[in-house]
Amino acid sequence: MSQQTGHYYVPAPSTYPIIGSTALLFMGFGAALTMNKMELGYGLLAIGFAILIYMCFRWFGTVAAESESGKYGLDVDKSFRWGMTWFIFSEVMFFAAFFGALFYMRVLSIPWLAEESQVLGQSFWGAYEGGWPTTGPGEHAAFTPMGAWGLPAINTLILLTSGVTVTYAHWALKEGRRDALKKWMLATVFLGALFLGLQGYEYVHAYNDLNLRLDTGAYGSTFFMLTGFHGFHVTLGTIMLLVIYFRCAAGHFTPERHFGFEGVAWYWHFVDVVWLGLFIFVYLM
Amino acid sequence: MRNKSVATLAGVTALALYSSMAVGSKYNFQEPQSVIAQDIYDQHMMLLWICLAIFIAVFGVMFYSILKHRKSVGHKAANFHHSTTAEVIWTIIPCLILIVMAWPATKTVIAMKDTSSPDMTIKATGYQWMWGYDYLQGEGEGISFYSKLSTPRAQLENKEPKGEHYLLEVDNHVVVPVGKKVRMILTANDVIHAWWVPALGVKQDAIPGFIRDSWFTADTPGIYRGQCAELCGKDHGYMPIVVEVLDEEAYSEWAAEKLASMKKDSVNLASVATDVASDAEAVEAAEKDSDNN
Amino acid sequence: MAAVHGDVHGHGHDDHHPTGIMRWVTTTNHKDIGTMYLWFSLAMFFTGGFLAMGIRAELFQPGIQILEPELFNSFTTLHGLIMVFGAIMPAFVGFANWQIPMMVGAPDMAFARMNNWSFWLLIPAALLLISSFFVPGGAAAGGWTFYPPLSTQGGLGVDMMLFAVHILGASSIMGSINIITTVLNMRAPGMTLMKMPLFVWTWLITAYLLVLAMPVLAGVVTMLITDRHFGTSFFNAAGGGDPVLFQHIFWFFGHPEVYIMILPAFGIVSEIIPTFSRKPLFGYSSMVYATASIAILSCIVWAHHMFTSGMPTVGQLFFMYATMLIAVPTGVKVFNWTATMWKGEMTFETPMLFAIGFIFLFVIGGFSGVICAIVPIDIQVQDTYYVIAHFHYVLVSGALFALFGGAYYWLPKWTGHMYDETLGKWHFWLSMIFFNMAFFVQHFLGLAGMPRRIPDYALQFADFNMISSLGAFGFGLTQLLFVYIVIKCIRSKEPAPEKPWDGAKTLEWTHLPTPAPYHSFETPPVVK
Ligand code: HEA
Ligand code: HEA
Ligand code: CUA
Ligand SMILES: [Cu+2]
C-alpha cells in the first residue's frame, strides 16, 4: 500500500465494448438461426466471430500497451489479481454444473431408471439394467467406452508437465533470465498444442472406431461435453500462452511486474486441475 | 394512551377479518376429504395464526415507534445501536417457532410418502393434453381409459354461456371406492405434467420416462376436481382431473360394467404397457375410445 | 460514522470525454454507466409490465379474451424473464455503479472499460428476447424456468431466449467481478470492511452469489441447447438423463438468484431507515452476518421449488428445514430495522415511506415463503397463484419498492435537483393500495386451487381475478407517475440542497457536493 500514488488509472472512453456487443449481437442471432437450420445464420455467426476476434486483438493490444507504458499502478495490479481470481472461480462453477450432471446421472437417475421395472412391473424401459458406462435405457447403438490408460494417461502427463514448464518460465522471468523464459514458454505452448492434437485424435478414434458419439446417451453426453469444454479452455489457454510468449519475446514484463504472465499461468493451472477431475471421474471411474 | 387503543382496535379488526376469511372455503383450501388433506389444512391454519401473531407483534412495535418516535411530535433521537441480549433473544425465539412448525410437518411428510400396501393401484399418464388411466391392481384391475376436457369449445370462446363446471369437467371420471387406500402411479408420455386433486391432498409431477407415486384415501363419496399443475404447453389449462368417489357397492358395479364394456371394445387398450413410441397412435386410439363411451 | 480529511475533490476538473451519443456508447465513467443501467431497467420494467398487463387483461374474465393460450404462455414466460433479468437485476447494478465508488471513496469502478461492456451486452440480449416474439413459432412459452422436455419442444424463439440468457449471464458475471474487485481493492484508506455502508456489504455478498450462480445457469442452458440440437441426453430419460436434473441445476442457480434480487434491496433499506430515523443502524455487524448467512443458506435450499417432483423423503425434509432456517437471519434484519426506528426522530419523506412499505409487505411475502417451505402445504400450493402472490410480495413490494425508495433517496445526489415530494407521496400510496389489491387476493386464488400459467380458469375464481386485474392496471398506471416525477426532477431548474437528508452519514453525502461531480474521489478521502 505504501507506494500507492493514490491515482488509480481509469481508462479513457473506448469503443471496444460496443464493438464486442455488436459481435455478440451477430453471434446470438447467428447461433439461434444456425441451430434452426436457417441459412442466414451462418453468415451472421461468421461476421460476429470476425468482429469478436478483431475486438480481442485491439482490446488486449491496448491493455498490453497501457501496461508497458507504466499506466498501471500497484493497485491496478491488485485489481487484476482479484478479477482473475473471481473469473476463475466462475469457471469452476461452470464446470461444477457439468460434473454435477455427471454425478447425478451416475448416482441417481440411472439407478432409478434401472429400478423402475420393480415398481409393479411398470416401466417404460423393459429390463434395463443400468450401470456405467451406459447409453441409457432407450435405443442406442452399442459403443466402447474410452479407456483411461492410453491417450488420456499420456495427456495427463502432458498437462502436468506443462504446469511444471510454465512454472519454470515464471522462475526464469523473476530471475531475469529472458532466454530461459522464452524457451519454457514455447515448451508450454507446445505441450498445450500437443494435448489438443491428441485430444482431437481421441475424438476421431471415438467416432470412427468406438462408435462413441455426442448422442451416445448419458455416457456420450457427459464424456464429450466435459472433455469438450475442457478442450475449449485448453485452446483458449494455449492461445493466451502464445500471446504471452510473443509479449515476452517483445521484451514485455519485468521481474517485479508481470501480472499478464501470472494471470495466464493461473488459468493454465486451473485448466490442469479440471483435467485431473476429468481424468478421475470421466476416464477412470 | 389513545394511540394504544387505536392500535389494539386495528389489530383486533385485522384479526377478525383475517379469521373470517379463513373460514369460507373461497378464501382457503378446499374442504379436505382425506386424512392428509385434513393435516395440510390444519397445519396451514396453524401457520397462519403463528405468522399473524408474529406480524402483529413486530408491526405493533414498529407502528408504535412510528407514531411516537417521530420528529413532528418532538421526539429526540436516542443513540443506542447495539444490544447483544436483544439480538440473541430474537435469534433464538424464531428458531423455537420454526421447530414448532416443522414438527407436525415432518410427521405428515413421512405419512404422505408411505405408499406401501395399497388396496388398489392406478397409473395415470400425462399426455399433451389429457390423462390416461390404467387400473393396475385391486378391484377393477385391467380397466383403462383416457380422460379429456369435456367443456365445449364454444364456451371457451365465449359463444355459449359457461356451465357450472367450466374447465373442470371431463369425459371419463377416475372412479375409486371410498375408504380404500389408492396408490397413484404417475408418469408422462411427452412433457412433465402434474396430477393434482386439492380435496384429496395429492399433487405429484408426472415425469416422462420415470415413475413416481403418491396415495390417498377418500373419506366421503363425491366428485372432486383438480387440474394439471405443471406447465405442459398450449393446453396446460385444459387438462383437468375429476375423481369420483363411490361407496364400495357402487364402485364394484361400475368396475364390472367398465370391464365388460372394455372387453366388447374393438380397440383394446387394456394392455398396460404404455406405448412411448407411438404417441400419435395413442392419441388416435384415445379419440376413438372417448367416442365409444 | 467516519471522519475524513483531504480535499473534497470537485468541479474544476476537465472531463475530456466525447459528447453526444458517443459519450454514452464509449463511456468508462461509473456514473454514466449507472445512469444507462437505470434507464435500461426502467424501459425493461415497462416492457415486462406491458406483458403483465396483457396477462391481467386476459385473466380479467373467464374465457379466452385477447391472447391465445400459446401467446399467453409466451407473455408469462417473457414477463418473468424480462422482469428478473432486464428490470430488477440491472436496476440494482445501476445503483451499484452509481453508489459503490462514492460510498467507499473510490475514483471509479476497478475495471472501467469492462464495466461499459457489461452494460452494452444487455442490449443484444434484450433485442434477442423481444424480437423472439416476432419469429416463426413465436417466443419461448415454457415459463421463465424453461423446464425440459417442454422447452426442448419450441423453435427458434426458445433458442433466442437461451442465447439471450447466456449473454445476460456474461454481463452479470463481469459486472459482479467488477463490483467485488472495487469493494475489496479500492476502498479509501481507513474504510475497513466493517466500516463500509451496508449497501456496499450487501452488494459484495450479492456479487459473490452472482459469480457462484450465473455460471451454473450458463451450464444448464448449454446442456439444454445441446439436448435440443446436438443429441445429448442430459434431460432425456431414454439416454439415462432426467428432466428433474434440469430442475436441480436450474434452481441451484435460481434460488440464489432470488436473493440476488433481495439482498441489495436490504442494503438500500438499511441506508434509508437510519437516515430518516436520525439514529445509527442498530446491530450493524449482525446485519452483515445475517446477510452472509442468508447467502450461504441460499445455496442449500434450491429443491424447495421441487417438492412435487417426487424427491425421496429425506431430501424433502432436508430442503424443508434448510429453507425454514432462512427465516432466522431475515428476521434478524427485520428486527434490527425496527430497533433502528425505535426511539428515533423519524420523518416520513418518500424514501422512508417506501422503506417502511418494503418491510411491511416483504414480511408478508416472507411469511408466505415459509408457508411454501412446509412440504405438506407446498404440495397444495405449488404451481398455484399462492406462489405467484408470494413472490410478487417479495419482488414487487420487496425489490421494486426498495428500488423506488433508493431512487428517491439518491435522486438529489444524482441530478442535483429535488423530486416533487407531494407527487412522490402519491406514488407511494397509490402503489401501496393498488399493489395489495392486485396481489393480496392471489393468495386466496391459490389456496382455493387456481393453478398458475393458465390463460383461463374455472368460474369460482372469477371475482378475485377481476379485482386482481383492476389492481394491476391501477398499479401499472401509477408507475407512469414515477416516470413523470423522475423527468420533472431532472428537468427542474431549482438546485437541491447540498444535503437534503440531515441524517445521512455516508461518504457521498458528507464528502461530495450535490450533484456529485463527474469524477469523484480521484484523490481518496481518508476515513478515520
Ligand atoms: C426476492 C425474491 C424472493 C425472496 C426474498 C424469497 C424468499 C423466500 N422464499 Fe421464495 N420465491 C421467489 C422469490 C423469493 N423468495 C420466487 C421468484 C419464487 C417462484 C419461482 C417460480 O416458480 O417461478 C419463489 C418460490 C418459493 C418457493 C417454492 C414455491 C413453489 O413453487 O411451490 C418456496 C418454498 O419453500 C419459497 C420459500 C421462500 C422462503 C422461505 C423465503 C424466505 O427467505 C423468507 C424469509 C422472510 C421471513 C420469514 C419474514 C421475516 C422474518 C421474521 C419476521 C422472523 C420471524 C419469522 C418466523 C419465525 C417465521 N419461495
Ligand atoms: C421480478 C420482478 C417482477 C415484477 C416487477 C413483476 C411485476 C408484475 N407481475 Fe409478475 N412475474 C414475475 C416477476 C415479476 N413480476 C415472474 C418471475 C413470474 C413467473 C413467470 C412464469 O411463470 O414463468 C411472474 C408472473 C406473473 C403472473 C402469473 C402469470 C401466469 O402464471 O400465467 C402475473 C399475473 O397476474 C403477474 C403479474 C404482474 C403484475 C401485474 C406486475 C406489475 O407489478 C407490473 C407493473 C408495471 C407496469 C404495468 C408497467 C408500467 C406501466 C405501463 C406500461 C403503462 C401502461 C399501463 C396500463 C395499460 C395499465 N406476474
Ligand atoms: Cu398437463 Cu399441464
Ligand atoms: Cu427458492
Side-chain angles (χ1 to χ4, degrees), chain B residues 231, chain C residues 45-53 55-56 59 72-73 75-85 87-88 142-146 261 383 385 388 391-392 395-396 399-400 435 438-439 442 451-455 465 468-469 471-480:
Chain B
L231 179 59
Chain C
F45 171 62
F46 272 75
T47 316
F50 169 79
L51 298 174
M53 294 299 108
I55 294 170
R56 286 316 325 168
L59 295 176
F72 178 90
N73 290 344
F75 266 52
T76 298
T77 305
L78 273 277
H79 162 69
L81 284 167
I82 288 179
M83 283 299 195
V84 169
F85 291 104
I88 303 294
W144 83 284
T145 50
F146 48 94
M261 292 187 284
D383 261 316
Y385 264 76
I388 302 282
F391 69 74
H392 283 87
L395 279 169
V396 179
L400 188 63
F435 169 80
F439 292 104
Q442 291 186 0
R452 63 193 278 202
R453 296 166 168 170
I454 54 170
N465 266 298
S468 176
S469 290
F473 298 150
F475 186 78
L477 287 176
T478 306
Q479 305 322 313
L480 293 176

Side-chain angles (χ1 to χ4, degrees), chain A residues 16-17 19-20 50-60, chain C residues 117:
Chain A
Y16 304 145
I19 296 175
I51 304 179
L52 191 70
I53 289 171
Y54 168 79
M55 180 209 76
C56 287
F57 259 97
R58 294 290 310 277
W59 193 329
F60 293 132
Chain C
W117 202 24

Side-chain angles (χ1 to χ4, degrees), chain B residues 26 87 113 166 203 212, chain C residues 286 309 311 382 456 463:
Chain B
K26 190 168 180 177
E87 292 183 56
K113 285 298 222 175
Y166 178 66
K203 184 189 284 154
R212 295 289 148 91
Chain C
S286 64
S309 73
M311 261 182 290
Q382 205 273 331
D456 193 3
D463 41 3

Side-chain angles (χ1 to χ4, degrees), chain B residues 18 21-22 25-30 37 40 43-45 47-48 50-52 54-55 58-59 61-72 74-84 86-87 90-92 94-95 97-99 101-102 104-106 108-110 112-113 128-129 153 155-158 162-168 190-192 194 196-210 212 227-238, chain C residues 62-65 68-70 73 77 141-143 147-150 153 237 240-244 247 277-287 307-313 316-317 320-321 324-328 331-332 334-348 356 359-361 363-364 367 370-371 374-384 386 440 443-461 463-464 502:
Chain B
Y18 221 84
M21 282 173 170
S25 74
K26 190 168 180 177
Y27 302 97
N28 203 337
F29 285 137
Q30 292 179 19
I40 296 175
Q43 281 173 35
H44 174 254
M45 288 318 291
L47 255 69
L48 208 58
I50 295 180
C51 289
L52 194 62
I54 306 176
F55 193 83
V58 173
F59 289 99
V61 173
M62 187 182 288
F63 281 101
Y64 176 82
S65 166
I66 286 175
L67 289 175
K68 290 290 169 103
H69 306 150
R70 46 169 69 214
K71 195 177 181 185
S72 56
H75 195 270
K76 287 279 166 277
N79 199 30
F80 62 88
H81 52 78
H82 190 73
S83 159
T84 311
E87 292 183 56
W90 67 48
T91 310
I92 290 179
C95 288
I97 298 176
L98 291 178
I99 293 172
M101 290 173 165
T106 305
T108 309
V109 173
I110 291 167
M112 257 169 25
K113 285 298 222 175
Q128 280 173 320
W129 290 274
R153 262 215 88 74
Q155 288 192 15
L156 307 188
E157 287 161 359
N158 308 315
K162 300 185 187 348
E164 190 196 349
H165 296 299
Y166 178 66
L167 293 188
L168 294 179
D190 31 48
V191 303
I192 304 176
W196 177 34
V197 183
L200 300 173
V202 184
K203 184 189 284 154
Q204 173 59 54
D205 289 2
I207 294 159
F210 287 84
R212 295 289 148 91
Q227 281 178 272
C228 174
E230 181 66 53
L231 179 59
C232 53
K234 180 163 67 67
D235 288 352
H236 160 58
Y238 305 114
Chain C
I64 293 297
Q65 322 293 337
E68 285 301 312
E70 188 71 4
N73 290 344
T77 305
Y147 284 4
L150 184 58
Q153 293 180 346
D242 184 350
V244 176
Q247 301 180 12
S277 306
R278 292 168 183 75
K279 202 167 143 277
L281 182 68
F282 187 89
Y284 172 89
S285 47
S286 64
M287 283 300 230
F307 284 148
T308 60
S309 73
M311 261 182 290
T313 315
Q316 293 200 327
L317 290 177
M320 171 169 89
Y321 300 149
M324 294 174 76
L325 267 185
I326 297 191
V328 176
V332 166
V334 172
F335 303 139
N336 280 349
W337 289 322
T338 312
T340 307
M341 288 152 78
W342 187 253
K343 290 202 185 306
E345 191 181 330
M346 278 183 270
T347 50
F348 301 93
I356 295 173
I359 303 177
F360 192 73
L361 298 179
V363 168
I364 296 181
F367 285 157
V370 172
I371 288 175
I374 305 292
V375 176
I377 302 179
D378 190 57
I379 294 296
Q380 291 286 31
V381 299
Q382 205 273 331
D383 261 316
T384 68
Y386 193 85
F440 198 75
H443 291 111
F444 302 132
L445 284 174
L447 291 175
M450 177 168 163
R452 63 193 278 202
R453 296 166 168 170
I454 54 170
D456 193 3
Y457 47 82
L459 298 180
Q460 70 262 35
F461 306 127
D463 41 3
F464 282 150
D502 50 356

Side-chain angles (χ1 to χ4, degrees), chain B residues 247-267:
Chain B
D247 60 39
E248 240 170 288
E249 256 162 66
Y251 176 75
S252 302
E253 232 165 80
W254 173 85
E257 218 170 275
K258 189 83 181 170
L259 278 169
S261 81
M262 281 182 56
K263 277 218 188 80
K264 271 191 286 166
D265 245 326
S266 51
V267 191

Side-chain angles (χ1 to χ4, degrees), chain A residues 95 103 249 256 284:
Chain A
F95 277 99
F103 297 149
E256 295 78 34
L284 265 184

